[in-house]
Amino acid sequence: MSPDKSERLTWRVAHTLRIAHLLVDQWPDGAPTLTASVIRPLTNVLGRLDPAPEYPVTDSSWPELLRFATNLLTALGGGAGVPSEVLEATAALQELDLRVVRAAAQSAQSQSKNNPSTENNPTDKNNPVAAVAKRIAELTALFAAERPYIRVARNGPYLAVGAKRLQTHLGVPLENRPLVALCRCGASASKPVCDGSHVRIGFTGTKAEDRVPDRRDTFVGTSITVLDNRGLCQHSGYCTDRLSTVFRADAEPFVSPSGGRLDDIVHAVRACPSGALSFAIDGWEVRAHVDPADRPSAIEMSKNGPYRVTGGMTLLDDGNVRHAAPQGASSEHYALCRCGQSKNKPFCSGRHWDVNFTDPAPSEQPTLFEWMGGYHSILRLTRLFYTKYVPADPLLAPLFGRMSPDHPERVASWLAEVFGGPSYYGDNYGGYNKMLGEHIGKRLTEPQRERWAGLMYQAANEAMLPADADFRAAFCSYVEWGTRLAVENSQTESQPPLNMPMPQWGWVNGATPWSRMNALTPQEEPDEPVVLPAEDEPVSFARHIRTLFRDRDRKSMSFAMDLWSCDDVRTHANAILTRINDGTMPCDGAWPQEKVRALQRWITEGMAA
């Protein structure tokens, strides 16, 4: 780094540090992040730099000071001369800055709703989405990264720059700033964003001595050669679960390339998220067919597992030098440890399974979109359907012979939105009228519809969508409804209504996986001991009645009431007592008489809280 750049770095770090200390005093809500993720790393950096001259801090409001400090560090960029600690602090400041921008816009939006003169005149200032997008654009222009990359901070977070998409395991976008510090110790309370917990727990990024060796093995088959590095495997099960005759979890050798069809093996290799697998034809590795050339840079949080990186984001070490790659590893896609326990850091080694690493609990009543695994599960289904099942079927192949290359993505976006996910189809392809236009005049026949539905069910099995009765009832009901509507709308004489809203499909007739007991699930103990009232003790809901209902009882009746809510049980008390006396509630066996008497006493004595 040149003397001028070094002086600029020193001054900006020192000045930002002074502002951060002022902000801690003036903005209590931001103090934890400022202390852990701004002041700490900048203090460490400043101790290694020459002393900087002090400049007075302007007498500004704390939001203005925060914005100034954010711009000050963001403008340094992320080049080789900028320490990882500075990038960590920059990422934290950007997060805080956008939090303030969003809150200000939400406040302005609320005020405008109460002011008739501004309600119909939206601006960036009273539109939270627009205000945040504008600020992100400003920060992106300041940071000016030449290419997307991830820098692995020493014993610290992943510093992700320029990813086009940052998303959950469901494929739902997260706020994507120019620079994001992603937790890799597994302890952050604000996953996936780093909150400085790596320092608190003493996280280290060293590899374990007993890790699986970094060695690429070659397995020659009759039509294809599979190349595999077990030391890079993240144990996602994408290969072993879907093609167990070729990828054998409990056998040696692990790969038996003559045990499956060439196209199935290619699909399995391409689905490998860790980049451990590749293949060769006639002795030549066909890496171009394993690594897609047109995927945008993206980081996806897999469910309770690693970050899955795609799109060729360069992986750098703490010194901003390309990270040493394992033998045969893909540079287009790889999996980074998120639980902090990998033996092959920074790459995932599957340890998240062993340490039971989990994300925050999902909603108690998920949508069909959430239950089936989100957009990526749906896309896996549509790609299988349109690349494997449709081309092999003489009835459907001519119908789809000229479909667009992105047809599987279009159908996946439609299904995602229909099943309760984000508005992917409406936002990207045009909504209901666009889908209607794809069918008008096609004159689809009942045999074609029946074949389409039947093959879709087969593809759902191969794509490993949930197989529980409740989900399949909802999934199959939509397929039947949607395909019959498509046949109806596609006839020459049909006049379908225009501008209809997107269909919204949910669980069928209240049949949900959480509202009944699975007969194959082992019986569980009650959540808490039942507390029965003494003969001379007043009966209360909180102390006695609530303990009568187990968690499974509560879930089974959630469609009608909450058995852990005093108000709900009061409202339905007589009906509950009637069903209990009739033996229809709970569904797995009658209550003992002492529990029935306790509920009866509570009702008779006035149903005290």
Side-chain angles (χ1 to χ4, degrees):
M1 179 181 290
S2 68
D4 289 344
K5 289 185 178 180
S6 179
E7 182 177 342
R8 184 179 66 160
L9 171 66
T10 303
W11 177 81
R12 287 175 185 254
V13 168
H15 204 50
T16 303
L17 189 55
R18 293 183 63 207
I19 294 174
H21 280 290
L22 289 174
L23 289 172
V24 167
D25 296 331
Q26 298 181 30
W27 185 32
D29 288 348
T33 300
L34 287 164
T35 302
S37 299
V38 178
I39 292 175
R40 175 195 53 77
L42 292 186
T43 300
N44 292 342
V45 171
L46 199 60
R48 303 197 303 265
L49 300 174
D50 294 330
E54 289 196 4
Y55 291 84
V57 177
T58 57
D59 185 18
S60 304
S61 65
W62 68 261
E64 292 172 330
L65 285 175
L66 174 62
R67 187 183 187 90
F68 177 73
T70 303
N71 289 348
L72 204 61
L73 285 196
T74 298
L76 282 171
V82 180
S84 295
E85 295 100 326
V86 174
L87 293 182
E88 182 183 347
T90 305
L93 286 170
Q94 289 181 4
E95 178 195 356
L96 292 172
D97 183 83
L98 291 170
R99 186 195 304 179
V100 171
V101 168
R102 183 182 297 103
Q106 288 172 340
S107 176
Q109 184 182 59
S110 178
Q111 293 175 14
S112 68
K113 288 181 179 179
N114 299 321
N115 186 345
S117 65
T118 60
E119 183 178 8
N120 298 319
N121 185 28
T123 66
D124 287 350
K125 291 184 178 180
N126 60 19
N127 183 328
V129 174
V132 169
K134 180 180 179 181
R135 181 59 175 148
I136 288 177
E138 293 171 354
L139 293 172
T140 301
L142 273 175
F143 198 77
E146 294 182 359
R147 67 190 188 286
Y149 67 84
I150 297 175
R151 189 194 292 191
V152 183
R154 182 177 180 274
N155 301 333
Y158 300 115
L159 302 162
V161 172
K164 296 297 183 183
R165 289 201 296 260
L166 181 65
Q167 53 200 13
T168 69
H169 76 278
L170 296 172
V172 177
L174 296 169
E175 183 179 273
N176 191 11
R177 302 179 291 277
L179 170 63
V180 183
L182 298 172
C183 171
R184 74 167 175 136
C185 71
S188 173
S190 55
K191 297 182 185 71
V193 176
C194 169
D195 67 356
S197 292
H198 54 280
V199 176
R200 174 177 55 82
I201 68 172
F203 171 77
T204 63
T206 56
K207 297 180 184 290
E209 292 184 359
D210 61 343
R211 67 185 181 278
V212 176
D214 176 18
R215 185 187 70 241
R216 199 184 205 198
D217 296 319
T218 300
F219 303 92
V220 180
T222 54
S223 61
I224 191 172
T225 296
V226 175
L227 308 170
D228 173 51
N229 187 337
R230 292 287 81 202
L232 189 56
C233 178
Q234 69 148 87
H235 303 283
S236 66
Y238 280 25
C239 58
T240 54
D241 292 347
R242 298 171 191 172
L243 200 56
S244 58
T245 57
V246 176
F247 301 97
R248 306 175 303 170
D250 299 317
E252 288 295 337
F254 168 63
V255 182
S256 178
S258 297
R261 297 186 343 183
L262 185 147
D263 60 333
D264 286 338
I265 296 173
V266 169
H267 282 136
V269 169
R270 294 191 59 168
C272 173
S274 66
L277 291 174
S278 185
F279 68 89
I281 303 290
D282 296 331
W284 293 92
E285 183 176 0
V286 195
R287 174 60 78 179
H289 288 281
V290 179
D291 297 344
D294 56 352
R295 278 200 288 196
S297 55
I299 303 174
E300 171 202 344
M301 271 61 68
S302 62
K303 185 177 181 180
N304 303 328
Y307 298 103
R308 291 175 179 159
V309 184
T310 55
M313 294 189 71
T314 305
L315 188 65
L316 305 173
D317 63 18
D318 189 66
N320 209 53
V321 176
R322 186 181 288 271
H323 202 287
Q327 293 182 24
S330 169
S331 60
E332 193 276 339
H333 58 275
Y334 48 89
L336 297 176
C337 172
R338 193 159 67 96
C339 70
Q341 303 296 317
S342 172
K343 293 187 175 185
N344 189 32
K345 299 186 186 82
F347 302 105
C348 173
S349 67
R351 284 276 291 164
H352 52 279
W353 299 107
D354 302 328
V355 301
N356 295 319
F357 176 74
T358 57
D359 288 311
S363 57
E364 290 189 3
Q365 299 183 3
T367 61
L368 292 173
F369 173 78
E370 293 170 319
W371 188 261
M372 66 196 300
Y375 177 75
H376 298 291
S377 294
I378 301 173
L379 182 58
R380 185 167 66 246
L381 164 71
T382 56
R383 281 178 173 166
L384 267 172
F385 180 76
Y386 286 108
T387 62
K388 179 177 180 179
Y389 287 90
V390 167
D393 186 82
L395 193 58
L396 296 183
L399 186 63
F400 292 96
R402 300 182 64 182
M403 65 180 171
S404 62
D406 67 342
H407 193 74
E409 286 77 9
R410 290 171 179 264
V411 176
S413 297
W414 172 271
L415 293 175
E417 188 167 346
V418 166
F419 289 146
S423 55
Y424 292 146
Y425 193 85
D427 292 344
N428 299 315
Y429 300 108
Y432 176 84
N433 284 352
K434 177 64 176 177
M435 177 61 79
L436 188 63
E438 298 292 334
H439 293 90
I440 289 178
K442 291 291 196 302
R443 297 190 62 82
L444 303 176
T445 66
E446 173 57 24
Q448 288 173 327
R449 184 210 70 80
E450 185 176 356
R451 185 69 55 82
W452 195 98
L455 292 179
M456 179 59 73
Y457 302 145
Q458 291 185 43
N461 292 333
E462 185 173 348
M464 297 193 300
L465 294 191
D468 56 275
D470 314 286
F471 170 74
R472 288 304 176 99
F475 178 75
C476 294
S477 70
Y478 174 74
V479 170
E480 288 296 314
W481 181 84
T483 54
R484 292 178 188 277
L485 204 62
V487 171
E488 176 185 315
N489 291 336
S490 71
Q491 304 310 308
T492 304
E493 66 276 14
S494 68
Q495 296 180 345
L498 301 177
N499 303 317
M500 295 291 288
M502 286 284 290
Q504 293 294 305
W505 213 258
W507 301 94
V508 177
N509 291 330
T512 59
W514 62 87
S515 66
R516 66 178 179 86
M517 287 196 310
N518 190 313
L520 301 177
T521 302
Q523 298 296 309
E524 300 175 355
E525 294 298 320
D527 297 297
E528 56 185 270
V530 173
V531 179
L532 297 173
E535 290 298 327
D536 58 348
E537 181 183 9
V539 186
S540 74
F541 182 85
R543 176 166 171 75
H544 306 110
I545 302 307
R546 183 187 177 285
T547 69
L548 302 180
F549 302 109
R550 304 164 299 179
D551 181 60
R552 72 182 71 169
D553 300 329
R554 183 192 188 198
K555 290 178 179 176
S556 69
M557 294 301 296
S558 63
F559 68 95
M561 71 190 84
D562 183 355
L563 290 175
W564 287 0
S565 163
C566 182
D567 290 341
D568 277 14
V569 176
R570 279 173 178 161
T571 301
H572 301 280
N574 290 322
I576 293 172
L577 184 61
T578 299
R579 291 192 60 181
I580 287 173
N581 283 325
D582 290 345
T584 58
M585 177 181 172
C587 60
D588 62 327
W591 271 12
Q593 281 303 304
E594 58 266 25
K595 290 178 65 174
V596 178
R597 284 195 296 270
L599 180 60
Q600 178 67 71
R601 274 187 58 194
W602 180 69
I603 296 173
T604 303
E605 293 176 7
M607 298 185 284

